[in-house]
Amino acid sequence: MNSEGDILHHQVDDISDDPSTRTQTENEQFSQARRYAKYYVAQETEYDTIPWDLNPERFETVRDSLAALTVDELDDYFGDLFAQSLSHYADDPDVDTGDIERPYELPAGKIGPEGAVLYEQEIYLDESGDIETVSGVIVEYYVAKGERTTVRHDEAPVPDRDPDARVEISPAPFVDLKPFRDYLVYNLRCQIRDCYVGMGLEPPAAYKVLGPGQYRFTGKYQHFECYPAYFDVDADIPGYSHEFAPELPISDAELGGLVDPGSERSLYRQLKSALFSR
């Protein structure tokens, strides 16, 4: 590096100093190294160098706070997100959407099927590690091939600082707030996996899970040869499994008649119909 902090060349001769001549995998390896460097500095010094959206320890604190919310608190914080997601199934005869109405119309410029949209909500913690407030619903969608845009529905002011985490969900037919909460908690677990994978590290055992985490990493897993398909709940990746096990809005007696302990299918897949029809 020179005195201005610019990289002049790299010690490894078999990787080009010119980013434009590197392979996609080599460029991603450089990105991993940069992410890990920020994480290492934060772990070893007093400097807060980790970007908020790559901070596994903070995400875990948010997970704990989110998992502890009551139904009323869930409705206050995430009721619009829940309704927006469920509204995509209003015409599905197998999903009991009740009297749910869509809080926000889909953007006029969106292309693709109705469900080709990503919903997000940012979470802010207070000094005690409890949820202080959340943003409004954030809508990400494609307006052209390879071109995405974002619409925010912030109806109330949020703190003038970075959020502590952001949950992400594609339209899903959860018809009860408790399993919906459990999905958001699981999404953050997958995001923690993404934080470690994005630094070139194997996640701790608790985060070797399959499923969608951060959408930006899902794109990498789909298109970069250096990554397995961690987003795919059916992926065959040694040491990884799909562990989403939501709290169900059915009785223990009903549950016993629906689950086959000897089945190779996951608990989630065995209970999908009951989960989505209450």
Side-chain angles (χ1 to χ4, degrees):
M1 299 177 65
N2 62 19
S3 60
E4 302 299 323
D6 296 322
I7 296 176
L8 299 179
H9 61 84
H10 299 88
Q11 190 171 4
V12 180
D13 294 332
D14 54 355
I15 297 181
S16 173
D17 293 329
D18 182 359
S20 66
T21 62
R22 296 179 198 144
T23 66
Q24 185 185 60
T25 295
E26 288 172 344
N27 274 321
E28 181 60 17
Q29 288 170 338
F30 272 88
S31 295
Q32 288 179 337
R34 294 187 188 99
R35 297 183 197 114
Y36 177 72
K38 294 176 181 178
Y39 177 76
Y40 181 85
V41 169
Q43 296 295 307
E44 299 297 326
T45 73
E46 73 278 12
Y47 295 104
D48 185 11
T49 54
I50 307 177
W52 73 267
D53 55 356
L54 285 172
N55 191 331
E57 287 85 1
R58 197 59 171 168
F59 284 180
E60 184 57 40
T61 302
V62 176
R63 284 186 74 231
D64 290 341
S65 297
L66 180 54
L69 292 181
T70 65
V71 171
D72 287 342
E73 291 170 332
L74 286 166
D75 193 30
D76 287 343
Y77 289 136
F78 301 102
D80 280 355
L81 184 66
F82 170 73
Q84 188 74 18
S85 171
L86 184 56
S87 71
H88 285 262
Y89 295 85
D91 298 326
D92 189 326
D94 295 324
V95 181
D96 179 10
T97 60
D99 58 358
I100 285 289
E101 295 184 2
R102 179 170 292 170
Y104 308 106
E105 291 301 319
L106 296 179
K110 188 183 80 66
I111 64 170
E114 183 187 76
V117 63
L118 181 70
Y119 296 122
E120 305 168 341
Q121 204 160 352
E122 295 167 345
I123 302 173
Y124 296 81
L125 301 183
D126 60 22
E127 293 182 355
S128 301
D130 298 319
I131 294 179
E132 175 184 345
T133 190
V134 297
S135 72
V137 174
I138 302 167
V139 185
E140 286 201 24
Y141 57 98
Y142 281 95
V143 293
K145 185 176 180 180
E147 182 180 349
R148 297 166 62 219
T149 191
T150 301
V151 172
R152 299 183 65 104
H153 296 282
D154 283 325
E155 298 178 350
V158 295
D160 186 20
R161 55 183 172 84
D162 289 332
D164 292 286
R166 178 177 57 219
V167 290
E168 303 182 6
I169 184 170
S170 297
F174 294 107
V175 299
D176 185 273
L177 278 165
K178 289 183 179 179
F180 180 75
R181 170 206 61 200
D182 295 342
Y183 179 84
L184 299 182
V185 170
Y186 189 75
N187 172 248
L188 287 175
R189 189 177 174 190
C190 292
Q191 289 195 41
I192 293 172
R193 172 207 66 208
D194 294 342
C195 291
Y196 287 103
V197 171
M199 292 186 288
L201 302 175
E202 273 290 309
Y207 307 110
K208 290 188 175 183
V209 292
L210 300 174
Q214 291 189 18
Y215 181 80
R216 59 173 172 163
F217 280 101
T218 294
K220 292 178 184 292
Y221 302 153
Q222 287 176 313
H223 302 297
F224 286 24
E225 293 182 358
C226 58
Y227 290 122
Y230 296 108
F231 69 93
D232 184 353
V233 299
D234 295 318
D236 183 11
I237 304 174
Y240 288 76
S241 58
H242 183 226
E243 298 182 6
F244 176 49
E247 183 175 342
L248 301 172
I250 58 179
S251 68
D252 289 342
E254 291 174 298
L255 178 62
L258 294 170
V259 177
D260 176 7
S263 174
E264 294 182 355
R265 294 190 302 158
S266 69
L267 176 65
Y268 169 70
R269 291 200 177 282
Q270 291 185 64
L271 296 172
K272 281 177 68 175
S273 60
L275 183 66
F276 296 157
S277 61
R278 293 283 157 172

